[in-house]
């Protein structure tokens, strides 16, 4: 609505007969109470208020609002409004009302490409949407990272668009080896981060192709079933930059599967020689009998998370074969006290700074000894109150004072909330 239209409405209101308002509650001393309806002049709102409102509007609504008056149009072009934005790209045949018109997007890009820094692109599974997304990314000169995110509905053809990316995140998308090879051809000089949370159609040869060509790759996240000695050796070549972060999700490809292929120590050693500061993070979602393959020899893992029950034997091997361990989280162990295993971890894992225990059992004395051995390097200590078992030396109520003394700060065990 134009501003001059507001003025016309106000004039019409002033010239119209006054409507007597009904009196409710207490009676007024005046015989008649006259109330004139007053319409707000939206054009006089402060710029910072309009700017705050515009930030919540989708692109199409923001563009329409900019035509209300001159002041709103000025706010529409304020650079601060275009630091962060989300584009929604869909084929008009499937979701016309949700998708921004391409001409409007191009107008925004022409005027505000220099201001856009954080951009999110929502796309459907069509190759047309992929091309539009890549075209937008190629014009955003100040965006520090160009990301392609594939979700479960995305098709492999999405990766055939000729565009370089520095970050690719694949989550449950039907990506296969040929798609990865096309991605390699397009982004071999630019890719720095590759996250593959679930790619059942990608083989170890497919990911090896990525390692052979992505020589600038610094972060890699993948499922254990496509991790191999060849992959680690490829990432350890002199032509590659130092890997900074390697995340491995150890999940059964088939629930109940017991046999997992081992990774040789020489392969880990090669990676550590090439990238000595790499963080190796392993998430385990296995049953106890499926863990036998792991930690049979020295493993350079830094962060270990057990999402299911783990045996004392496995924890004992971690204490012996994981000297780089920084963080350990055990969600469950059953009813076997972990006294000697925890003390062994404290003695051999000199870099350990964080421990989390949930459905486990540890005697109070063993826990105090563990904290004494680790000392003040323990920056995070999350222990459920039910984990601590009283003994001849301490009760759970007495543990917190002794632990606090060794940590150099006040500490209490976590308590399960009662809702």
């Amino acid at each position: 609505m134009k501003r001059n239209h507001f003025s016309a409405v106000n004039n019409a209101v002033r010239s119209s007969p006054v409507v007597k308002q009904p009196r409710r509650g207490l009676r007024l001393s005046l015989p008649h109470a006259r109330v004139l309806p007053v319409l707000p002049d939206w054009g006089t709102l402060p710029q910072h208020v309009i700017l705050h409102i515009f930030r919540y509007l989708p692109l199409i609504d923001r563009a329409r609002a900019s035509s209300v008056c001159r002041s709103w149009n000025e706010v529409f072009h304020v650079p601060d409004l275009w630091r962060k934005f989300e584009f929604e790209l869909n084929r008009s045949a499937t979701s016309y009302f949700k998708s921004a018109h391409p001409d409007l997007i191009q107008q925004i890009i022409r005027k505000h490409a220099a201001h856009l820094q954080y951009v999110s692109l929502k796309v459907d599974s069509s190759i047309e949407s992929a091309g539009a997304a890549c075209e937008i990314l190629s014009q955003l000169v100040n965006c520090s990272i160009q990301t392609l995110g594939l979700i479960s509905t995305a098709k492999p053809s999405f990766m055939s668009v000729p565009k370089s990316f520095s970050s690719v995140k694949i989550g449950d998308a039907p990506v296969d080896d040929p798609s990865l090879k096309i991605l390699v051809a397009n982004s071999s000089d630019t890719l720095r981060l590759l996250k593959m949370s679930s790619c059942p159609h990608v083989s170890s040869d497919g990911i090896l192709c990525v390692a052979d060509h992505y020589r600038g790759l610094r972060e890699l996240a993948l499922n254990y079933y496509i991790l191999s000695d060849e992959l680690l050796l490829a990432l350890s070549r002199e032509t590659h930059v130092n890997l900074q972060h390697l995340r491995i999700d150890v999940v059964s490809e088939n629930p109940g599967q017991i046999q997992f292929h081992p990774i040789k120590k020489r392969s880990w050693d090669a990676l550590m020689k090439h990238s000595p500061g790499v963080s190796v993070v392993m998430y385990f979602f296995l049953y106890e009998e499926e863990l036998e393959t792991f930690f049979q020899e020295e493993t350079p893992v830094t962060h270990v998370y057990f999402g299911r029950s783990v045996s004392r034997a496995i924890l004992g091997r971690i204490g012996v074969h994981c000297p780089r361990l920084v963080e350990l989280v055990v969600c469950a162990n059953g009813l076997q006290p972990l006294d000697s295993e925890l003390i062994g971890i404290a003695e051999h894992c000199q870099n350990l700074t964080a421990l989390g225990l949930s459905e486990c059992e540890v005697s109070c004395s063993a826990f105090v000894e563990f904290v004494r051995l680790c000392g003040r390097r323990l920056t995070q200590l999350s222990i459920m109150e039910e984990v601590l078992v009283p003994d001849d030396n301490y009760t759970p109520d007495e543990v917190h004072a002794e632990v606090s003394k060794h940590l150099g700060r006040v500490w209490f065990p976590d308590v399960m909330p009662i809702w």
Side-chain angles (χ1 to χ4, degrees), residues 47-262:
Q47 188 180 80
H48 72 277
V49 174
I50 303 173
L51 186 65
H52 185 73
I53 295 173
F54 270 32
R55 286 196 175 101
Y56 289 93
L57 296 179
L59 177 57
I60 187 65
D61 293 335
R62 186 183 291 185
R64 288 169 177 165
S66 70
S67 64
V68 169
C69 61
R70 179 177 298 176
S71 62
W72 285 31
N73 187 263
E74 291 174 354
V75 173
F76 181 73
H77 295 290
V78 171
D80 284 345
L81 187 62
W82 300 101
R83 304 294 184 197
K84 181 178 180 180
F85 200 75
E86 177 180 283
F87 294 94
E88 188 158 345
L89 308 169
N90 299 299
R91 287 177 296 181
S92 58
T94 57
S95 54
Y96 177 81
F97 293 103
K98 291 183 179 180
S99 181
H101 194 279
D103 293 342
L104 177 58
I105 291 177
Q106 287 305 315
Q107 178 183 353
I108 297 304
I109 293 298
R110 283 195 299 270
K111 292 185 177 182
H112 303 290
H115 306 140
L116 285 164
Q117 295 177 352
Y118 308 97
V119 174
S120 173
L121 296 169
K122 284 187 175 181
V123 300
D124 60 17
S125 59
S126 67
I127 191 67
E128 293 84 359
S129 298
C134 294
E135 179 63 24
I136 289 175
L137 286 173
S138 66
Q139 299 177 65
L140 303 181
V141 294
N142 287 332
C143 279
S144 59
I145 188 168
Q146 295 178 320
T147 301
L148 171 64
L150 299 182
I151 58 176
S152 57
T153 58
K155 298 178 181 178
S157 57
F158 203 127
M159 306 178 80
S160 65
V161 177
K163 177 69 180 75
S164 298
F165 295 97
S166 59
S167 175
V168 176
K169 301 177 183 179
I170 304 170
D172 298 311
V175 178
D176 50 22
D177 291 355
S179 302
L180 282 180
K181 291 180 180 179
I182 294 173
L183 185 64
V184 165
N186 292 337
S187 305
S188 59
D189 296 329
T190 60
L191 194 69
R192 301 292 179 267
L193 167 63
L194 177 61
K195 291 186 176 181
M196 306 175 66
S197 61
S198 179
C199 302
H201 302 292
V202 173
S203 68
S204 56
D205 291 336
I207 193 65
L208 183 59
C209 172
V210 171
D212 284 335
H213 292 84
Y214 289 157
R215 297 173 182 176
L217 195 65
R218 295 187 180 276
E219 298 184 48
L220 177 62
L222 73 170
N223 196 299
Y224 185 84
Y225 75 86
I226 53 178
L227 181 69
S228 65
D229 294 289
E230 293 76 16
L231 174 60
L232 294 179
L233 294 174
L235 293 171
S236 305
R237 293 174 187 153
E238 292 183 1
T239 53
H240 279 266
V241 300
N242 294 335
L243 194 66
Q244 296 175 350
H245 186 87
L246 175 62
R247 167 171 168 160
I248 306 164
D249 293 335
V250 191
V251 183
S252 295
E253 188 176 1
N254 299 308
Q257 172 184 330
I258 296 178
Q259 294 297 324
F260 283 85
H261 64 278

Side-chain angles (χ1 to χ4, degrees), residues 327-339:
E327 183 171 337
L328 174 64
V329 176
V330 180
C331 292
N333 168 258
L335 301 177
Q336 298 176 322
L338 303 178
D339 296 4

Side-chain angles (χ1 to χ4, degrees), residues 345-347 349 352 369-378:
I345 289 173
E347 290 174 342
C349 303
L352 187 70
E369 178 64 10
F370 167 83
V371 177
R372 185 190 70 80
L373 290 170
C374 292
R376 299 192 177 189
R377 74 170 188 264
L378 281 175

Side-chain angles (χ1 to χ4, degrees), residues 269-337:
D269 290 343
L271 180 66
M272 294 309 304
K273 183 178 179 180
H274 182 263
S275 304
V278 63
S279 296
V280 181
V281 184
M282 299 186 74
Y283 284 81
F284 288 91
F285 298 94
L286 305 177
Y287 297 103
E288 286 189 20
E289 61 272 15
E290 297 176 316
L291 290 165
E292 285 304 315
T293 302
F294 302 95
F295 309 115
Q296 295 284 359
E297 52 187 1
E298 187 170 308
T299 307
V301 65
T302 55
H303 300 71
V304 179
Y305 304 91
F306 290 104
R308 293 177 180 165
S309 181
V310 57
S311 67
R312 293 179 57 189
I314 297 297
L315 293 176
R317 295 209 295 257
I318 287 178
V320 175
H321 297 305
C322 301
R324 298 182 72 239
L325 189 65
V326 173
E327 183 171 337
L328 174 64
V329 176
V330 180
C331 292
N333 168 258
L335 301 177
Q336 298 176 322

